[in-house]
Every structure is written in structure tokens, then in C-alpha cells.
Amino acid sequence: MATQFDLVVIGAGPGGYVAAIRAAQLGMKVACVEKGRTLGGTCLNVGCIPSKAMLDSSELFHLSKERFQKHGIKFDGLKLDLAAMLARKDEVVKGLTDGVRFLFRKNKIEPVFGAATITGPTSVRVALNEGGTADLEAKHILIATGSVPVALPFLPFDGKTVVDSTGALSFDRVPEHLVVIGAGYIGLELGSVWKRLGAKVTVLEFLPRITPLADQEMGELLRRSLVKQGLEIHLETKVTGAKVEGDRVDVRAQKKDGSEIAIACDRVLVAVGRKAYTGDLGLEKLGIAVDPRTGKVPVDAHFRTSVPTISAIGDVIEGPMLAHKAEDEGIACTEILAGKAGHVNYETIPSVIYTWPEMASVGITEEQVKEKGIEYRVGKFPFLANGRAKAMDETEGLVKILADAKTDRVLGVHIFGPKASEMIAESVAVMEFAGSAEDIARTCHAHPTLSEATREAALAVEGHAIHS
Ligand code: FAD
Ligand code: NAI
């Protein structure tokens, strides 16, 4: 006999586990099926958390090597213990995935470890990791199976020499020369990690700029900064082939002008995007269409697929593949299932690239404002003129605010600078309340803080920044 639930969630990533917790809070009996050995999905196990652990550790190493002297801190014999750095990262991951396990117990959510297939509008079969199968019946099924890396057909992942992000989070030695294919989030974050730890890093990007979706001015600032940090970046470069021989890879690429480049390296990170992971769920049999290119499942405004009892959230549906977007959808979706007014405001989902300096943004870019034909004003303020940034010796970058010329409503905020990831939250809140640049300009900001740069950029929209 199948066990009965109100909701069966498939996938325990930030979309699925948050949805499970919110559903339990709303009084539902919930099971969450996860085919991995731990909870937390891509984000906690092999994504956001371990990558940020390595970014933070490698930044400390870089600072102690290159920047501490300027602060009057001197020492001899600095050494990298990569094994210890990786072990710390693994501990951080374990602490957080165990934390989700604790939250499941607290909220009486049943974790089921195994691979799920949807066998009917209200039924799920799980091939249990420990052997055997389990049948679950539910009033609602929620697909939150996330995404997987896209491979290049001529350069398949081998887990050691040619790797995806998971492999690049655990190299057992610092590569001599790491070639990164794709100058997006993963390529730039993990390229930065290994550059700081001593590798030569060459990034090959197909398009004429890095981070193609970002505000162009900010993307260009980031590119220049990374080049200054020693990353070699080739734009408009198409990888045409590669030969792997033991520990060496010969990568061939073609520039837009037709010239060929050949790079001999010892590690390749392929970071050309991710694809929704929907293949093994049995959706075709249920008549649920899947986009053949992206693997994504179409849903309506209430996250329902074409089968009304089956919903989907997170990386498997339209929109940016970001953990906080998946979480918000998990909450909204389960609130709707419980008869409440769940909602996600897609206009105010921030995005952050955790390089150093960081690049964070919310709302639309200057290019999009122009495309939409909106009359706008722009205010900018450089960190060079911010007291706290000076005190920290972190003066690179700027805050840029785009506001509607008629209403002054904030349309987009783009920050390239120190701790931009933390700073962006203020602008997200202002945009969530449909606030204006003047609202930010008239808000008292503690001194000395980096966030004063946001206020000054807002003042600059009116043309009267105080400190520049
Ligand atoms: P996932 O987290 O992918 O979880 C899906 C889960 O479903 C997985 O655990 C999988 O094992 C399970 N599953 C799949 N199929 C089945 C099945 N049939 N049965 C049972 N279980 C199944 N986003 C950010 O916002 N900030 C960041 O800093 C960030 N950094 C990242 C760094 C890296 C290296 C990577 C790869 C991604 C990063 N992301 C980041 C993206 C983020 O990880 C994803 O957007 C997020 O995890 C999506 O959440 P999800 O719940 O939709 O899916
Ligand atoms: P991405 O979409 O961010 O970047 C891929 C890059 O590869 C693009 O610039 C693209 O033009 C380029 N590209 C595609 N095909 C290519 C080819 N054949 N040769 C050369 N370049 C090519 O994808 P990425 O970095 O793999 O990350 C996947 C997703 O994971 C991101 O889109 C993001 O949603 C999420 N993520 C988020 C992070 C964050 O929030 N900080 C960090 C890491 C990942």
C-alpha cells in the first residue's frame, strides 16, 4: 500500500527543501524525495556554498600574499595547504546539509532517499538508494529536480582533467594551467579561485563580452579587473576541438577573425551553462511537455504544469537559475497550494557574481532601459570617494542607479565593488516597495559604510552627490 501525503516534493535543493518546510508549516503532511545521499541539492552540496567557501578561502590567501603588507602586517613563510582548505569547504557543506536534515525532523518532513519517477497525477515511485522501491501517493506533487551542467560534445567531462564545476571545486592540486570555457558565473568565480591559489588561468568566451546578461558597463569593469588580476580572457573565441592525453589537454580555438589558437594545459573547466534535469521523471507519459533544448517544464502563474496536481519550481522552470529564486518559488508555490496568495516578484530578483570585487545587480540594465525606450536618469558613485572603502583599501568599482526620468522610480541598480553582494539588498527592498532614487537619497545611511556609496549614487541621479 502506498503511503499517503498531502505533498510529495521531488528534489531537496533550495527550491524543494524550502517548499517542503513551508508546506509543513502550513499543516501539510510532506515527503521529500532526494536521489543524492544528502539534502540541500546542488546549492549546498556542489554549488553556492562550496564555491563561496573556496572563494572566501582563496581571497584570504590572496590578501595575505599581496595586500597585508600595505596594512602593516608582515610575516614569513606563507604556505598553501590545499587539503586543509578543501576539508574546511567540506565541513561547511556538511554542517549545512546536516542542518537541513535537522529542519526536516523539526518540521516532521519525511526524507526519502532514492530516485523518483512520477507514475500518475498523484503517484510517485522511488527506486530507493538502499535497494527496493517505495510508492508514495499525494494530493500534490512538486518537481524541484534542478539542473545539471551542459557538456561540449567534443570534450566530455572525465572528472579529473576535463571537469564541470563539481570537479573544479575539488582539484587535488593547484592546476598549472587551467583553461576555462565560458565567461559566465561559474567560469569567472572558479577561475578566480584557482588564479588566486597560483594557477595560470585562460578563459575562452564565445560572445564579445563576459557575463553577457549583465549591464555592459559593469561587465566591462569586471573584465578589466580580472585581467588586471592576471586572468587571460579571450572574447569572441570558439573552442573547436581538444585532445586529452593523460594529464595534458591541447585545446584548439578559433578567433572571430579566423585565426586559430592552440593552448596546452593540464585542466579544463567547461562552464557553458546548465540544463534543467527533467529527463528521468517520466513526464512524457503524463503528457507534460519539456523544452528539448533547455529541459525546462512550462508552468502557469501558479507553478502548475499541464497536469494540475503536478507543479514545478526552481531551475526546472523558466527564469534565472539561482538558489534564492528557487526558494522564493518554493514558498509561493506551497502557499498557493494551501489556498494563500503566494507570489514571486521576478522584477526584483538580485544576481551576484562573487568575484572580487563582486558584481551585484537588481532590475534592468542600461541596455534594457534603452531598448524599452524609457526616458531615464543615471547616477553613479565611485568607491574611490567612499570613506569606508578607503579605510578598507578596497576602492575599486562603483554604484550605478538607473531611475525613470519622469517618476524617479528605481529601474535598476548595478554595483561593482567590495561586498556588493551584501549592499544590493537595500536596493532590492527599495525596488520591492516601488521606491524612487530620492527615497534612497533621503534615507540616513550609517557612516562610514560602503552603503553610503548607494546613497551618493542616488543623490547623483538628481545631480547633487555630496562627495564627488
Ligand atoms: P537543485 O539545487 O539542483 O536540487 C535538485 C535536487 O533534486 C538535487 O539534489 C538532485 O539530486 C535531486 N533530484 C533530481 N532528480 C531527482 C529524482 N528523479 N528523484 C529524486 N531527486 C532528484 N545560485 C545562487 O543563487 N547563488 C550562488 O552563489 C550560486 N552558486 C553556484 C555555484 C555553482 C558551482 C553552481 C553549479 C550553481 C550555483 N548556483 C548559485 C545555482 C544554484 O545552485 C541553483 O540555482 C539552485 O541549486 C537550484 O535549486 P533547485 O532546488 O531548483 O535545484
Ligand atoms: P552561464 O550561463 O553563467 O555562462 C556560460 C557562459 O559560457 C556564457 O558567457 C556563454 O556565452 C558561454 N558559452 C556558451 N557556450 C560556449 C562555448 N561553446 N564556448 C565558449 N563560451 C561559451 O553558465 P555557467 O557559468 O555554466 O553557470 C550556470 C548557471 O549556474 C548560471 O547561469 C547561474 O544561473 C548559476 N550560477 C550562479 C552563481 C551565482 O549566483 N553567483 C554562481 C554559479 C552558477
Side-chain angles (χ1 to χ4, degrees):
M1 243 272 295
T3 320
Q4 299 282 335
F5 293 93
D6 293 313
L7 176 68
V8 168
V9 180
I10 306 176
Y17 87 72
V18 168
I21 292 172
R22 186 69 188 122
Q25 287 173 343
L26 291 165
M28 294 184 214
K29 186 179 177 201
V30 184
C32 183
V33 188
E34 170 54 55
K35 74 184 179 61
R37 280 177 297 119
T38 53
L39 303 174
T42 303
C43 172
L44 267 60
N45 289 284
V46 289
C48 325
I49 297 301
S51 61
K52 267 77 252 178
M54 288 303 283
L55 277 155
D56 285 334
S57 294
S58 62
E59 180 61 12
L60 287 176
F61 181 68
H62 165 76
L63 288 176
S64 45
K65 208 161 125 199
E66 309 287 342
R67 303 274 298 280
F68 278 12
Q69 289 225 353
K70 197 169 171 196
H71 289 267
I73 304 166
K74 292 190 179 173
F75 50 85
D76 296 319
L78 177 71
K79 269 207 255 156
L80 171 68
D81 182 347
L82 181 61
M85 195 179 275
L86 294 172
R88 190 197 79 93
K89 173 207 63 169
D90 293 341
E91 249 173 60
V92 172
V93 167
K94 182 163 184 345
L96 287 169
T97 54
D98 285 352
V100 178
R101 195 77 195 239
F102 161 80
L103 291 172
F104 272 26
R105 270 199 301 276
K106 184 180 158 200
N107 288 285
K108 302 190 172 44
I109 297 161
E110 191 164 325
V112 182
F113 286 97
T117 320
I118 305 177
T119 45
T122 56
S123 52
V124 171
R125 170 158 291 184
V126 185
L128 296 166
N129 289 352
E130 64 194 16
T133 57
D135 287 309
L136 314 176
E137 273 292 320
K139 288 186 193 136
H140 303 283
I141 296 168
L142 177 56
I143 302 169
T145 47
S147 61
V148 287
V150 170
L152 290 173
F154 53 85
L155 198 54
F157 301 120
D158 62 22
K160 185 170 184 280
T161 317
V162 180
V163 298
D164 60 11
S165 51
T166 302
L169 282 166
S170 297
F171 285 137
D172 57 4
R173 62 170 175 81
V174 177
E176 280 164 38
H177 187 174
L178 171 66
V179 166
V180 175
I181 305 179
Y185 286 82
I186 292 175
L188 299 181
E189 289 186 0
L190 296 183
S192 294
V193 164
W194 294 106
K195 174 70 205 153
R196 293 168 192 167
L197 297 180
K200 175 178 165 126
V201 175
T202 305
V203 182
L204 307 177
E205 166 62 48
F206 184 63
L207 293 176
R209 52 202 183 93
I210 66 167
T211 59
L213 299 180
D215 184 274
Q216 275 192 33
E217 180 183 15
M218 306 309 258
E220 179 55 15
L221 288 178
L222 174 60
R223 188 194 65 79
R224 277 194 228 151
S225 176
L226 293 172
V227 169
K228 215 164 61 193
Q229 291 168 39
L231 275 87
E232 200 178 290
I233 301 179
H234 295 270
L235 300 175
E236 297 185 302
T237 302
K238 186 176 175 206
V239 180
T240 49
K243 199 164 100 200
V244 186
E245 251 174 17
D247 222 21
R248 309 296 309 177
V249 191
D250 288 308
V251 179
R252 289 186 310 283
Q254 193 176 44
K255 296 228 158 217
K256 201 185 168 202
D257 62 12
S259 60
E260 302 276 338
I261 49 175
I263 306 170
C265 62
D266 59 335
R267 294 288 181 268
V268 178
L269 162 60
V270 179
V272 294
R274 292 176 65 85
K275 195 176 163 156
Y277 188 44
T278 44
D280 303 332
L281 287 167
L283 299 183
E284 316 75 44
K285 281 195 196 142
L286 295 158
I288 298 177
V290 171
D291 183 310
R293 195 178 59 84
T294 62
K296 296 210 178 202
V297 183
V299 290
D300 67 13
H302 286 176
F303 307 100
R304 276 181 309 224
T305 68
S306 53
V307 177
T309 48
I310 304 176
S311 305
I313 55 158
D315 280 8
V316 290
I317 67 166
E318 205 40 55
M321 290 183 164
L322 297 173
H324 42 282
K325 178 247 187 198
E327 289 185 30
D328 283 13
E329 288 175 343
I331 291 171
C333 176
T334 44
E335 288 183 346
I336 291 167
L337 293 179
K340 293 181 172 290
H343 174 70
V344 175
N345 182 358
Y346 288 96
E347 316 270 290
T348 57
I349 295 175
S351 66
V352 180
I353 300 184
Y354 295 83
T355 47
W356 195 269
E358 295 174 339
M359 191 161 84
S361 64
V362 58
I364 53 179
T365 63
E366 192 161 1
E367 293 70 43
Q368 288 168 322
V369 174
K370 284 180 185 158
E371 258 170 44
K372 287 173 188 276
I374 302 171
E375 258 183 75
Y376 70 102
R377 289 188 298 180
V378 57
K380 296 181 198 173
F381 189 80
F383 284 103
L384 196 61
N386 172 272
R388 187 62 189 279
K390 279 261 191 215
M392 292 165 70
D393 189 31
E394 290 291 355
T395 53
E396 190 175 357
L398 56 86
V399 178
K400 171 173 172 178
I401 298 182
L402 303 159
D404 188 296
K406 290 199 193 100
T407 62
D408 195 37
R409 185 173 172 164
V410 177
L411 302 168
V413 178
H414 306 277
I415 307 176
F416 173 60
K419 303 215 185 288
S421 56
E422 300 295 339
M423 287 179 66
I424 198 69
E426 171 187 12
S427 302
V428 177
V430 168
M431 287 188 67
E432 188 62 39
F433 288 106
S436 63
E438 188 180 351
D439 288 327
I440 302 177
R442 291 195 182 276
T443 301
C444 186
H445 287 66
H447 175 74
T449 55
L450 297 169
S451 66
E452 285 174 290
T454 305
R455 183 199 197 173
E456 291 273 8
L459 283 165
V461 170
E462 279 286 350
H464 53 80
I466 301 290
H467 292 92
S468 75

